[in-house]
Each structure stands twice: as C-alpha cells, then as structure tokens.
C-alpha cells in the first residue's frame, strides 16, 4: 500500500534540485494487444552533488506502479517496495557522491482518465490506441522519474509493440523486427526536457506527411478518422508552416527539434498538449461535420498556441509550477499575434481574443481570484491554476505589456531571452529582465502591480466643457473593488464617436496613459468643437479592464450599436453591455431584446456566433425561472426565422445549432425532429452532431418518439462519440427510476472511462426538469457525497461532476442551494480540501451573482 499521497511539495522538489543534476533516462516499454497492463524497465543515471546529512533517505523517484519487480542501485540490489507505490525511495547507503545508476523493472496498469498512459479501444474496428498526457504531474505514471520541471533530462526510449502498430515519441524513431510478433521501435535521445514534456503514442495510427524546409512534419489519427482528416489536412499543414516561419522570425531562433508531428488522440482531456516534436490534440479538431470558419479559427489558435510552446516552455522551461501562467499566457498571446500576422484569419484573431478575455473577467471577479504570479506549494495546487487567470488574464496583460514597451522592444526582449536561456529553466525575473533589456525600460513597478495583485479595475469617462459647449477635458475615472483596492497603470486607445448622416463615425482615436483614480486629459481632441456622441476607453482592446459606459455613451450605443463599422468595436461594446448584465446594472431581458433586434443585421460571423452563445448563457443563468420558457422560445423562434432567411453555410449552421439549444417545450422539441428528414428547412440538412443534440433535447422534454430516434442515430453513428452521445441521451428523460439508475452508475462504476461518465453526467440535469421535483433528491445527494468524492476520486472525475450536477442553472429558488453550499464550505478543511473548496466557492459566487441579476428583472 502506498505510504504517500501522489503529490510533490515544492520544498521536496527544491531539495532534489540541490542534491542532483545531470539526469538521464533510458526506458524500455513492452506492450501486448488486448491487455490493460504493460511492463517497463528503466535505467536512470544522475550525479549526486552531496548527500543530505539531515535526511539521508530524502531522495526518491516519483512513481505510480502496480508492482515494482526489482531495483538495482549502482550494481547493488535494493529491496523493492511491495504493492502499489507512488514513490520509490532511493537507499542512501547504496548511493555515492558523484555518478549513480538506478535500474528498475516494474509492471503497471494503463490509464482510463485521459492522463498518464491512456488506453482506448475504438468501438468501430476494435483497434487499440495509447497516448500519454503528463502535464503537470503525470509522467511518473508511465515510468519512475524525478517528476519536476527543473530536472530536465534526455530520454532514450525503446518500445516493443505488436506488428502493425506505430510508435511516435518526441524524437525520430526507427522500427526493427522483434520477437514473437513484436516490432522494436528505438528512438533517438531527446534533448534535455522537463518530464511533463515527454510523449509516447502507440497504436495503428494512420499518418499523413509534409515538410517545413528540412523539418519533417506528420499528422496522425486513428484509422476510423482518416477519411475526415484527409479532406482537411491541407489547411492544417498550411497553418503549421505559416506559424513556424512567423515564430522563427519573431524569436530569432530556428525551430529547436528534429521533427514536427501532430497527433489526434481519442478521449483527450484538453485542447492540445505541447510535447516537443509530438504535439497531441483532441479529436474535436478532426471535423466529421462541415465546420464553420470560426471553428477553423479556433483550431488554428490551438495549433499556434502549442507551437509557441516549442520555444517558450519546451526550449526554455519554468523552474516550478508558479511559472505555469507565463507559459500559458505567452503561448496564448503569441498564438493570436501569429494568427493575425501570418494566416488568412488576420484581424479576426483579435475579435476572438476578446471572447477569450471574458473568461478572465469572470474568474478574476470570483472570491477565488488570485494573482497572475501566485504561490504553488505543491503539484496538487497546480491543478487549480489551469484557469482563466493563468491563460486569459495573463495573455491580456501581456498584450498590455506590448502596448507599454512597443512591439519591437518586446521582440528584441524575446530574442535575448531564448538565446540566453536555451535548454534551461527560468523564473519570472528572467523574462522581465529580458524585456527590459530589449525595450530599454524599467518594468519592476509594472510587474509588481500587474502580476502580484488580483481582480480587475473599471474605467469610465466624463467630460468638461466651456460656456460655449466646447470640450475642454476628458476625465477618466478608475475604480477598484474594496477587497483589492489596487489602481493600475493602463496604456489605452480612446475612441470618440459621432452620429453623422445615418451612420456612426469615429471622430478620433487618442492614445493615453491612465493611472490613479482620476486622469484628466486637457484639450484631448484635435476637434473639440462639440461633445461626442459616445466615448469608448478601450479601442483596439489593449487594456485589461472593465469599461463602464457613461450615460450618454450608453444611450448612444443602445440605439446604434449595429452601426459601428469595426467588428472589434462592436464586440467590445456588446461585451460592456454583457458586463452590465452580470453586474446587475442592465436587465437580462432588456439585453436579450436588444440582441434580437440587432443580430439580424450583424455581418461578422464570429460576432453572430458570440451573440448567440451569450444569449443562451444569459437566458439560462440570469433570467428568472418563470420567464425562461418565454425567453428561450423567443430565441428559438428567432433562430428558426434566421435559419430560413440566411444564405451562407456558416450562418445556417450557427442558427440551426441555436434552434436546437433554445428548445423550451416538448412541442418545439417534437417539431425539431421533423427537420431530420430535411422537411423543415428547404436545402438544409442537420449534420450528425445536430441530430444528436436534437434527440437529447427531445429526451429531456419527454417527447414520446425519442427512443425510436435514438436507435436511428445509434445505427447512423457507431463511433465512440456516438456511444457517448447516446449515453447522454439515455440520462436525459424526466424519469425518476432512470435518474436513480444513472446516479448509481456515476457514483459506483469506476471501471467506466472518465469520458463516458462525463457524458452521463452532462445529460442528468436539464433546466426544464427542476420544477417537477424530479431532481430535488439529487441536490441533497450531491452535497452528501461531494466531500468524500473529492478525496477518493481524481480531479478529472470531480470537476465534471461539479459542473454538471451542482444545483444552479434552472433552479427556481436558489436559497436552499446557497445554504447547503455555505454549510459544505464551512465543513471543508482549507489545506486538505483545497480543490473542492475552491470549486464550491466559485459555485456560491455564481449563485449570488445569479440572484442579483434575477432580482433586477423581478
């Protein structure tokens, strides 16, 4: 039995770094078909700088092993721990100062959570696929190692696998005939890498090839997806080449690895992972249905995000996980910059960037907000920081940094950074120091106030005029929340608008520096002859701040928002209005009515997509329960009208999805099923994903024919995706016995994959079922079991359990949920229950915000 929790303290990692260096791994993995386990043999060498006199046995390897078969240290056999382990102590008596070699043979189980060494069987052809996903602390699930980012080491890997399987890892690999129907694959040693960046994919993956200069490029997927990938791979390779050229030029550093493979992996937990030379992606980016161009843009962003990591994160890596934010923020910002500068998506990239920024706005206003540069005492805490502050706020602040130092200064700083720290590890001061050197500015105060404080400021404007009514000054007020009273410096572009001859005209854009609670700009405009119709303080979206419209600007925007010429300006204005809804300053139903009145004339597809999804969210969260049917029905009817009238494929797809998502009655759900036979909308046929969503809606509203329709779709779609969607559908009907059955499966079937369990969870709660009392028993059960689940089940299970089953959206009266959540938080231990306590505090914050917004309507 394991003595230790599978968790690494920062102090333990620091101790290991002081004790050892020059680490190298040689690994052999033996795989068999139709097996849930595998065997491994590891040789790890390292230099012991000095023994720890205070604790001679402090050196250990992180490991999750079902059985350690033998350990040999410097030729001396060491007693192997019995049973499953999460650490392998190294016997101090057998270690020497200087060079050491440890050999370990072990047996391990394959993973089914999407992390570690994941095993998947394709239901369409029964082929087996494996892949790794190690960030932040999962490498030791594949083999024992010093699983911390600052102990970078080369890895040489050999894999014995059934013939017909392919092996992909970080470096180039060759295949030779093995024994007993196996092939032996031997990879070249990797450069020094942090353990979380090692990668191994094994199975009958299919490959498509190209090259970027002398760098070979391949894209892999499983056999059943190859027809879809073949139709789409040209653009994937094109964006890859465009990104590599842009980054090599911008960073002044050639792509640092020997190949560029990209692998689509089944049941992948996240969008992608930046394993050097072997980037892994979710299969959601292999389009089985015709995608909108917005989806292609999202895929390009993910591709370019992971590519930026090849330099920032892989070539140069963080010392510890408090540097995670910089890794992810940098890759996010650079991906949008590369997309804007080097691909066909151009300025649309910055429209999408703002939709990402809204993730940061939400999380930065929760009680669980934290500084960008935070404290991460252990690896368990790292899991909490894959959030909107780490990715979106950090990227937004980097965009503000570029506004401060200029693009050329930022570029020179990055080139200094990569040359100076190649193949090493860094902390934030190394990054800031390089930018200071490149831009010739001091950033110490800027860094402290932006990276070490929490929450978001609000900026608003007012005017001063003379007796003739001419504008004499523009005054910008900055406020901060009481809990985080920090006033930050902002470099912003201020846009001034007028109504002229039936259109909105931008009179002028003024670049300004804002600081403190009040900034007065005297004689701010070239043309001060009249007060503008509207002022917006974040033109071009350089600022990370909420923009509160003054009364005159708000009135102007409410009347003319569809007349602003620039799509980004329109999005920023809609975003400010949405902030007002969330802050209970604008009624949700008034906002929805405005969207319905303006969206028909919106020409930008990305913005139409955002308005649809935002309207769905506002209706589900901030509209009183007694008005939901009415508001959803209005959206549903609008979607059907637009679907009949629009003439572009992308808009038809968007409005068809909206029509399905906004169903508010069994009659609407039943009518929607008529579209299956292409009878509802001339010339338009629902794709498979829409068909699944429509059947799930029909099941949730108890439409009698849902079961017959389900059987049809299961016949049409026999893929793993089809199996998961069918599982969601079967959990959706308003049937008490069925809900009890699915609840028991969720809680008790630990053999089922995390992804199948998540599919069942996602079908369990529907807003239209809460009034009947059907779900009430599970509100109590949720709070009765969640604390224990958080202790006994992995994060990958607990997070979707909370997001799918917490009693929030659709609940007519949240008072009971508030009381139960507050009571649970009171019982949770701050140090032992950190993960679930954070999730519960966020849910409680959302309930309080929801209540305020609902009261504004009532």
């Amino acid at each position: 039995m394991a003595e230790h929790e599978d968790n690494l303290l920062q102090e333990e990692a620091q101790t290991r770094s002081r004790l050892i260096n020059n680490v190298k791994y040689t690994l052999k993995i033996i795989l068999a078909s139709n097996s849930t386990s595998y065997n491994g043999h590891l040789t790890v060498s390292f230099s012991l700088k000095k023994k720890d006199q205070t604790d001679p046995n402090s050196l250990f390897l992180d490991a999750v092993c079902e059985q350690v078969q033998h350990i040999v240290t410097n030729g001396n056999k060491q007693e192997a721990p019995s049973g499953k382990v999460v650490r392998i102590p190294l016997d101090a008596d057998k270690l020497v100062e200087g060079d050491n070699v440890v050999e370990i043979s072990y047996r391990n189980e394959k993973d089914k959570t999407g992390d570690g060494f994941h095993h998947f069987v394709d239901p369409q052809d029964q082929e087996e696929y494996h892949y790794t996903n190690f960030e932040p602390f999962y490498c030791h699930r594949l083999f024992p190692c010093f699983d911390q980012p600052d102990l970078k080491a080369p890895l040489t890997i050999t894999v014995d696998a059934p013939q017909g399987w392919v092996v992909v890892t970080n470096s180039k690999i060759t295949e030779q005939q093995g024994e007993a129907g196996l092939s032996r694959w031997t990879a070249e040693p990797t450069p020094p890498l942090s353990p979380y960046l090692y990668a191994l994919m094994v199975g009958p993956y299919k490959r498509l090839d190209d090259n970027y200069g002398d760098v070979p490029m391949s894209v892999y997927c499983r056999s059943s997806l190859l027809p879809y990938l073949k139709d789409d791979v040209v653009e994937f390779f094109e964006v890859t080449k465009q990104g590599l050229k842009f980054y090599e030029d911008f960073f002044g550093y050639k792509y640092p690895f020997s190949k560029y493979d990209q692998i689509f992996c089944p049941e992948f937990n996240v969008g992608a992972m930046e394993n050097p030379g072997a980037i892994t992606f979710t299969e959601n980016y292999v389009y089985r249905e015709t995608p909108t161009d917005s989806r292609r843009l999202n895929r390009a962003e993910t591709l370019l995000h992971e590519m930026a990591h090849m330099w920032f994160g892989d070539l140069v890596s963080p010392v510890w996980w408090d540097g995670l934010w910089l890794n992810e923020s940098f890759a996010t910002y650079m991906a949008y910059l590369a997309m804007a500068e080097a691909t066909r998506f151009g300025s649309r990239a910055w429209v999408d960037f703002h939709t990402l920024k809204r993730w940061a706005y939400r999380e930065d206003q929760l009680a669980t907000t934290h500084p960008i540069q935070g404290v991460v005492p252990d690896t368990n805490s790292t899991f909490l920081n894959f959030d909107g502050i780490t990715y979106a706020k950090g990227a937004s602040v980097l965009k503000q940094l570029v506004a401060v130092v200029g693009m050329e200064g930022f570029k020179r700083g990055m080139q200094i950074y990569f040359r100076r720290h190649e193949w090493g590890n860094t902390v934030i001061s190394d990054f800031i120091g390089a930018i200071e050197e490149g831009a010739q500015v001091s950033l110490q105060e800027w860094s402290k106030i932006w990276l070490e404080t929490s929450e978001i400021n609000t900026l608003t404007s007012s005017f001063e005029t003379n007796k003739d009514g001419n504008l004499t000054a523009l005054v910008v007020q900055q406020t901060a929340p009481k809990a985080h009273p920090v006033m930050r410096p902002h470099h912003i572009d201020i846009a001034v608008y007028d109504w002229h001859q039936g259109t909105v005209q931008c009179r002028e854009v003024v670049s300004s520096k804002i600081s403190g609670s009040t900034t007065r700009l005297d004689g701010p405009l070239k043309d001060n002859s009249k007060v503008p119709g509207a002022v917006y303080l974040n033109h071009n979206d350089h600022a990370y701040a909420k923009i509160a419209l003054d009364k005159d600007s708000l009135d102007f925007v409410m009347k003319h928002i569809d007349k602003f010429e620039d799509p980004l300006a329109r999005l920023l204005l809609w975003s400010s209005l949405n902030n007002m809804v969330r802050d209970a300053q604008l009624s949700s139903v008034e906002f929805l009515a405005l969207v319905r009145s303006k969206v028909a004339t919106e020409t930008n597809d990305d913005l139409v997509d955002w308005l649809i999804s935002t309207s769905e969210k506002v209706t589900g969260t901030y509209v009183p329960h007694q008005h939901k049917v009415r508001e959803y029905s209005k959206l549903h009817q609008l979607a059907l009208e637009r679907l009949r009238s629009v003439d572009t494929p992308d808009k038809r797809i968007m409005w068809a999805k909206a029509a399905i998502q906004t169903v508010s009655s069994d009659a609407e759900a039943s009518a929607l099923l008529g579209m299956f036979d292409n009878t509802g909308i001339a010339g338009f046929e629902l794709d498979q994903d829409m068909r699944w969503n429509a059947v799930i809606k029909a099941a949730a509203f108890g439409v009698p024919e849902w079961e017959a329709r389900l059987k049809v779709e299961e016949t049409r779609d026999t893929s793993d995706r089809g199996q998961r969607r069918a599982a969601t559908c079967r959990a959706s009907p308003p049937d008490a016995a069925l809900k009890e059955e699915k609840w028991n499966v969720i809680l008790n079937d630990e053999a089922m994959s995390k992804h199948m369990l998540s599919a069942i969870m996602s079908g369990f709660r529907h807003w239209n079922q809460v009034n009947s009392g059907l779900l009430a028993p599970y509100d109590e059960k949720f709070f009765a079991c969640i604390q224990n689940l958080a202790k006994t089940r992995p994060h990958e299970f607990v997070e979707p359990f909370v997001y799918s089953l917490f009693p929030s959206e659709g609940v007519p009266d949240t008072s009971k949920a508030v009381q139960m959540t507050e009571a649970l938080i009171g019982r949770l231990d701050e140090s032992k229950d950190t993960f679930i306590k954070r999730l519960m505090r966020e849910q409680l914050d959302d309930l309080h915000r929801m209540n305020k917004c609902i009261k504004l309507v009532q």
Side-chain angles (χ1 to χ4, degrees):
M1 181 176 293
E3 289 182 39
H4 298 276
E5 180 186 6
D6 190 19
N7 181 36
L8 181 66
L9 304 180
Q10 184 179 17
E11 292 177 358
E12 294 173 319
Q14 290 170 337
T15 297
R16 284 201 300 207
S17 293
R18 287 196 299 269
L19 294 176
I20 66 171
N21 59 12
N22 299 325
V23 181
K24 295 180 181 179
Y25 300 108
T26 302
L27 176 66
K28 181 178 180 180
I29 296 291
I30 303 172
L31 294 169
S33 58
N34 302 312
S35 175
T36 59
S37 64
Y38 62 94
N39 291 307
H41 183 81
L42 171 74
T43 300
V44 54
S45 63
F46 58 90
S47 296
L48 181 62
K49 290 181 275 189
K50 62 178 181 178
K51 289 191 176 184
D52 188 341
Q53 301 302 320
T54 59
D55 184 1
N57 295 307
S58 63
L59 198 58
F60 59 89
L61 288 161
D62 304 294
V64 172
C65 295
E66 289 296 318
Q67 182 185 13
V68 178
Q69 293 155 336
H70 79 263
I71 305 176
V72 176
T73 303
N74 293 326
N76 300 305
K77 189 173 181 180
Q78 177 178 326
E79 182 179 356
S82 60
K84 185 174 181 177
V85 300
V86 297
R87 286 186 177 184
I88 299 176
L90 298 180
D91 190 337
D93 293 336
K94 294 180 174 60
L95 296 175
V96 298
E97 293 189 358
D99 295 339
N100 293 266
V101 178
V102 178
E103 296 178 78
I104 300 173
S105 294
Y106 62 96
R107 183 186 65 82
N108 215 352
E109 292 294 310
K110 299 173 184 177
D111 292 293
K112 56 182 180 291
T113 63
D115 290 314
F117 189 45
H118 187 77
H119 178 225
F120 171 82
V121 179
D122 191 331
Q124 290 183 283
D125 55 19
Q126 302 307 306
E127 295 281 14
E128 295 181 73
Y129 295 88
H130 308 77
Y131 63 85
T132 56
N133 193 47
F134 290 156
E135 188 178 27
F137 187 60
Y138 291 125
C139 183
H140 62 284
R141 288 193 186 182
L142 179 68
F143 68 92
C145 61
F146 302 114
D147 203 351
Q148 60 191 74
D150 64 335
L151 287 177
K152 299 180 88 164
L155 168 68
T156 303
I157 188 168
T158 300
V159 178
D160 286 354
Q163 291 179 6
W165 287 10
V166 172
V167 178
V168 183
T169 186
N170 302 99
S171 52
K172 293 179 179 178
I173 195 166
T174 56
E175 179 186 12
Q176 293 179 320
Q177 183 70 38
E179 300 177 355
L182 298 178
S183 292
R184 173 159 294 178
W185 297 76
T186 305
E188 298 175 357
T190 70
L193 298 177
S194 299
Y196 76 95
L197 295 170
Y198 299 138
L200 176 64
M201 279 61 67
V202 186
Y205 288 96
K206 301 302 179 184
R207 188 180 86 190
L208 300 170
D209 296 326
D210 203 334
N211 65 277
Y212 171 72
D214 59 356
V215 178
M217 301 192 306
S218 297
V219 176
Y220 294 82
C221 71
R222 53 190 165 112
S223 299
S224 58
L225 289 184
L226 184 61
Y228 306 107
L229 183 59
K230 277 183 174 179
D231 291 341
D232 199 34
V233 75
V234 172
E235 182 180 65
F236 202 76
F237 278 134
E238 179 184 28
V239 175
T240 302
K241 294 174 188 177
Q242 291 168 334
L244 286 169
K245 184 179 187 310
F246 177 81
Y247 287 141
E248 285 185 338
D249 293 344
F250 196 94
F251 298 147
Y253 198 109
K254 297 289 287 183
Y255 172 67
F257 301 100
S258 63
K259 63 185 180 68
Y260 202 91
D261 291 341
Q262 298 173 94
I263 306 96
F264 293 101
C265 299
E267 297 188 329
F268 202 65
N269 281 342
V270 292
M273 176 60 202
E274 66 264 22
N275 318 300
I279 301 93
T280 43
F281 290 85
T282 174
E283 290 182 338
N284 292 337
Y285 291 131
V286 179
Y287 300 127
R288 287 178 258 198
E289 293 84 24
T290 302
T292 63
D293 208 46
S294 294
R295 288 185 68 194
R296 292 186 180 278
L297 183 152
N298 293 148
R299 184 178 66 179
E301 188 278 325
T302 301
L303 187 160
L304 294 167
H305 175 110
E306 305 310 323
M307 186 183 290
H309 278 307
M310 299 300 107
W311 289 263
F312 205 104
D314 297 0
L315 175 67
V316 183
S317 308
V319 168
W320 180 244
W321 295 111
D322 52 2
L324 173 68
W325 79 268
L326 187 54
N327 250 17
E328 300 304 337
S329 298
F330 182 87
T332 299
Y333 172 72
M334 289 303 305
Y336 281 100
L337 181 64
M339 192 157 50
E341 298 292 327
T343 76
R344 69 178 179 84
F345 298 106
S347 61
R348 288 176 56 201
W350 297 119
V351 173
D352 192 67
F353 183 86
H354 185 78
T355 67
L356 178 80
K357 184 186 282 192
R358 294 201 56 78
W359 180 25
Y361 286 169
R362 176 192 175 270
E363 299 214 356
D364 209 12
Q365 294 176 81
L366 293 170
T368 53
T369 184
H370 57 86
I372 296 175
Q373 178 72 26
V375 176
V376 182
D378 55 26
T379 52
N380 275 351
S381 300
T382 308
F383 292 98
L384 301 175
N385 289 331
F386 286 93
D387 62 8
I389 294 173
T390 293
Y391 283 80
K393 180 178 179 179
S396 301
V397 169
L398 286 181
K399 189 178 183 185
Q400 172 67 190
L401 173 63
V402 173
V404 172
V405 303
M407 186 62 74
E408 286 304 311
F410 179 71
K411 183 176 179 179
R412 286 193 298 270
M414 293 320 306
Q415 294 179 357
I416 292 168
Y417 180 81
F418 291 121
R419 288 195 302 270
R420 182 172 294 162
H421 300 292
E422 58 184 355
W423 306 116
N425 297 82
T426 60
V427 295
I428 181 61
S429 59
D430 298 314
F431 173 77
I432 294 296
I435 301 299
E436 287 181 319
E437 188 174 339
Q440 293 296 295
V441 297
S442 174
L443 295 171
Q444 296 308 302
E445 186 61 28
W446 183 94
S447 174
K448 182 179 178 63
I449 202 165
W450 273 106
L451 304 183
E452 298 178 19
T453 61
S454 301
E455 257 275 14
I456 185 170
N457 297 110
T458 299
L459 304 179
T460 190
S461 61
S462 60
F463 300 107
E464 294 180 6
T465 59
N466 60 23
K467 62 181 180 179
D468 298 322
N470 295 328
L471 182 66
T472 58
L474 173 64
V475 180
V476 180
Q477 288 91 26
Q478 178 175 196
T479 58
K482 290 181 180 179
H484 302 278
V486 180
M487 299 297 177
R488 297 177 177 87
H490 305 268
H491 280 57
I492 60 175
D493 290 343
I494 303 172
V496 177
Y497 297 97
D498 299 304
W499 181 254
H500 181 70
Q501 295 182 349
T503 187
V504 174
Q505 291 189 346
C506 182
R507 186 196 307 180
E508 192 173 337
V509 176
V510 181
S511 296
S512 304
K513 298 178 182 179
I514 304 301
S515 61
S517 59
T518 303
T519 301
R520 178 188 170 90
L521 304 174
D522 291 313
L525 306 179
K526 294 176 182 176
D527 178 5
N528 292 311
S529 61
K530 62 178 180 177
V531 173
V535 172
Y536 195 74
L537 297 177
N538 192 19
H539 187 70
N540 291 323
D541 201 24
H542 292 303
Y544 178 76
K546 287 200 298 184
I547 307 302
L549 298 170
D550 63 86
K551 185 180 183 306
D552 290 340
S553 295
L554 177 60
D555 291 342
F556 186 93
V557 167
M558 295 286 279
K559 291 177 185 176
H560 306 305
I561 191 168
D562 54 330
K563 303 300 183 184
F564 285 74
E565 182 178 356
D566 178 18
L568 178 57
R570 294 197 300 275
L571 174 62
L572 294 174
L573 293 167
W574 278 114
S575 180
S576 288
L577 295 178
N578 187 234
N579 284 337
M580 292 178 68
V581 174
R582 285 177 38 82
D583 294 340
Q585 297 169 347
L586 176 66
S587 159
S588 58
V589 296
E590 187 177 357
F591 175 83
L592 291 169
L594 184 66
V595 171
R596 292 194 301 269
S597 71
K598 302 292 187 182
V599 71
T601 57
E602 177 54 59
T603 57
N604 183 277
D605 286 354
D606 301 318
L607 192 42
V608 170
D609 203 17
W610 184 86
L611 287 169
I612 291 171
S613 62
T614 300
S615 296
E616 292 169 2
K617 178 67 174 177
V618 167
T619 306
T621 309
Y622 303 129
V623 170
H625 189 76
Q626 63 270 28
H627 300 321
K628 282 190 191 297
V629 171
R630 181 193 72 198
E631 293 299 322
Y632 268 132
S633 186
K634 288 179 180 179
L635 279 172
H636 180 72
Q637 295 306 317
L638 173 66
L640 291 176
E641 291 168 9
R642 298 301 299 154
L643 181 55
R644 293 185 179 97
S645 61
V646 296
D647 56 4
T648 65
D650 279 14
K651 282 192 173 70
R652 282 198 158 189
I653 292 170
M654 287 186 280
W655 286 114
K657 290 182 176 181
I660 297 167
Q661 289 302 114
T662 55
V663 163
S664 62
S665 67
D666 56 351
E668 289 179 349
S670 183
L672 201 62
L673 294 181
M675 294 174 65
F676 275 30
D677 303 315
N678 202 23
T679 57
I681 305 295
F684 181 79
E685 183 176 357
L686 274 73
D687 62 34
Q688 187 59 60
D689 188 53
M690 296 177 199
R691 294 172 71 95
W692 275 121
N693 286 333
V695 175
I696 290 167
K697 282 290 184 182
F701 280 93
V703 174
E705 59 263 41
W706 77 265
E707 288 184 279
R709 290 292 191 177
L710 171 61
K711 291 177 182 178
V712 171
E713 299 315 312
E714 285 184 302
T715 302
R716 286 172 56 98
D717 185 1
T718 59
S719 69
D720 58 300
R721 178 187 70 168
Q723 291 185 341
R724 290 191 294 271
R725 302 310 299 276
T728 300
C729 190
R730 287 193 169 92
S732 297
D735 180 287
L738 184 145
K739 295 295 186 189
E740 182 67 21
E741 173 195 333
K742 299 304 179 187
W743 181 265
N744 288 330
V745 169
I746 291 169
L747 289 190
N748 300 318
D749 193 340
E750 296 191 37
M752 188 177 288
S753 80
K754 171 254 181 182
H755 294 80
M756 185 61 77
L757 287 171
S758 296
I760 296 171
M761 294 175 197
S762 69
F764 196 87
R765 291 188 69 92
H766 292 271
W767 68 269
N768 60 294
Q769 297 174 358
V770 296
N771 262 352
S772 64
L774 177 70
L775 300 176
Y778 301 99
D779 297 351
E780 299 278 358
K781 290 180 179 182
F782 175 91
F783 288 101
C785 72
I786 186 60
Q787 186 173 4
N788 184 60
L789 283 178
K791 291 178 179 178
T792 58
R793 304 291 285 272
H795 292 162
E796 298 90 347
F797 172 88
V798 175
E799 200 165 41
F801 185 87
V802 170
Y803 292 151
S804 296
L805 302 176
F806 183 85
S808 56
E809 291 187 25
V811 178
D813 179 11
T814 60
S815 59
K816 188 174 182 181
V818 168
Q819 292 171 4
M820 289 191 289
T821 307
E822 289 176 339
L824 174 62
I825 291 171
R827 296 194 302 270
L828 295 173
D829 184 275
E830 192 68 44
S831 59
K832 296 179 181 178
D833 301 310
T834 308
F835 180 67
I836 190 60
K837 189 163 188 173
R838 173 166 170 167
L839 290 180
M840 289 299 99
R841 290 178 68 198
E842 290 178 351
Q843 296 299 317
L844 183 62
D845 262 20
D846 285 342
L847 286 174
H848 287 317
R849 184 179 291 272
M850 187 190 312
N851 286 338
K852 290 178 183 177
C853 296
I854 287 172
K855 287 178 181 177
L856 186 66
V857 179
Q858 293 172 329

